[in-house]
Amino acid sequence: MRRLPLRGTALVAGLALALTACGGGEDGDSDGATGTSLKGVKLEVAAVWTGGEAENFKKVLAGFTKKTGATVTYTPTGDNVAAYLGSKIQGGGPPDVAMLPQQGVLVEFAKKGWIKPLGDDVKQLMQQNYAQIWQDLGSSDGKLYGVYFKAANKSLMWYRPRAFEDAGITQPPTTWADLVKTAGTLSDSGATPLSVAGGDGWTLTDWFENVYASSAGGEKYNQLAKHEIKWTDPTVKDALRRLAELWKPNYLAGGADGSLQADMPKSVTAVFGPDPKAAMVYEGDFVAGVITGETEAKVGTDAKVFPFPAVGAKPPVVGGGDAAVVLKENKGAQELVKYLASAEAATIWAKLGGFTSPNKAVNPASYPDDIQRQIAKSVIDAGNDFRFDMSDLAPAAFGGTKGSGEWKRLQDFLKNPGDVDAAAAALEADAAKAFKN
């Protein structure tokens, strides 16, 4: 569910971001994309995407075929990309190229020698088209292994304007204090402020990461992501205390128990469905796809969005991404990854919607509507201040396993937000074990 497609088609007035060009031509056809003839070459690409996302990615691959003559087959991996690829590699039949959604897996695979360093021409294209943060995220031990083709903006709050109007709220909050005040005003008006997808532990990690990135700052965020500081650090406890200001039972649709039974789509329909249970829901750009696909609400009128409020000096921009890596050392694979590093490739999917590119050479006009242009621009404008999803940087045992690690500890904290010290100690115990292993 972290990769639901974005299908919103209307201007979202609450996201106040100026629309200015990020550079590059509309079709990005002069940014170094491959022109090598690969007629007769057959390649396999594996990724997590299914449904509309898979079909759109196949159109990108068709662009590569048209340009080079290579035949490319797409294979879905299922949700556990690392396990799927690990079995294929150990069985001697890996795909040529794979899209890795977890940066921690990229580093793990690089250390095992399962993925190949990218060539100098890909490095040059990355330096030309990507902020340094994306080059760093695609690297391990100083070598570039991955090109981030698709990104996700997970610093968005979605809300029902009617609920705000009925409570007398005229402007979306821009600071954490404003958000807490807004929640109180909604509660006083008789509306439940928040719908939280506590049943999906990853949404709770996203909540924490946005609060922590803004309150503690980028340096501390990077240190905690690597477990260079402990989860009992005062900055962690401060972030948990702030979450507790909103994770009150009377502020949550269904209370704590109801929240712990709600998955991400259910948390969205609780706000925008025919019988609304709450006024706001937090999650990434893919929420628009749930609104459009599972409710009658219209993005831009019945459903609006504002940036995750600033807890500290700056509002956070936290998200994820899918990196193209080479598993078989051959020219066709390297050329495909080079193509995916170009604006030409990204523009194909950008025009189809449901996609955000971290490639700054993509023209914003390529996106089909204002909301998608705004979301993409916020990722580009964040530059090196963009923070990759912390749980995706951690070992899977801590940051990516249902029913254990960070997911479970934050679920416990949602149920009992009064004991910050106990929550921090439990998080540290799990993190220490996972990072040691």
Side-chain angles (χ1 to χ4, degrees), residues 11-17 157 159 171-174 300 303-307 374:
L11 170 65
V12 176
L15 193 58
L17 297 169
M157 294 288 297
Y159 70 103
Q171 295 291 334
T174 58
K304 294 187 178 182
V305 64
F306 57 89
Q374 292 167 338

Side-chain angles (χ1 to χ4, degrees), residues 309-347:
V311 185
K314 294 181 179 180
V317 182
V318 175
D322 296 270
V325 299
V326 171
L327 288 85
K328 287 183 179 178
E329 190 57 83
N330 58 65
K331 187 171 181 60
Q334 290 277 347
E335 289 294 331
L336 176 54
V337 173
K338 179 182 176 182
Y339 175 72
L340 294 174
S342 72
E344 180 180 355
T347 298

Side-chain angles (χ1 to χ4, degrees), residues 176 211 214-215 309-315:
W176 184 260
V211 171
S214 184
S215 62
V311 185
K314 294 181 179 180

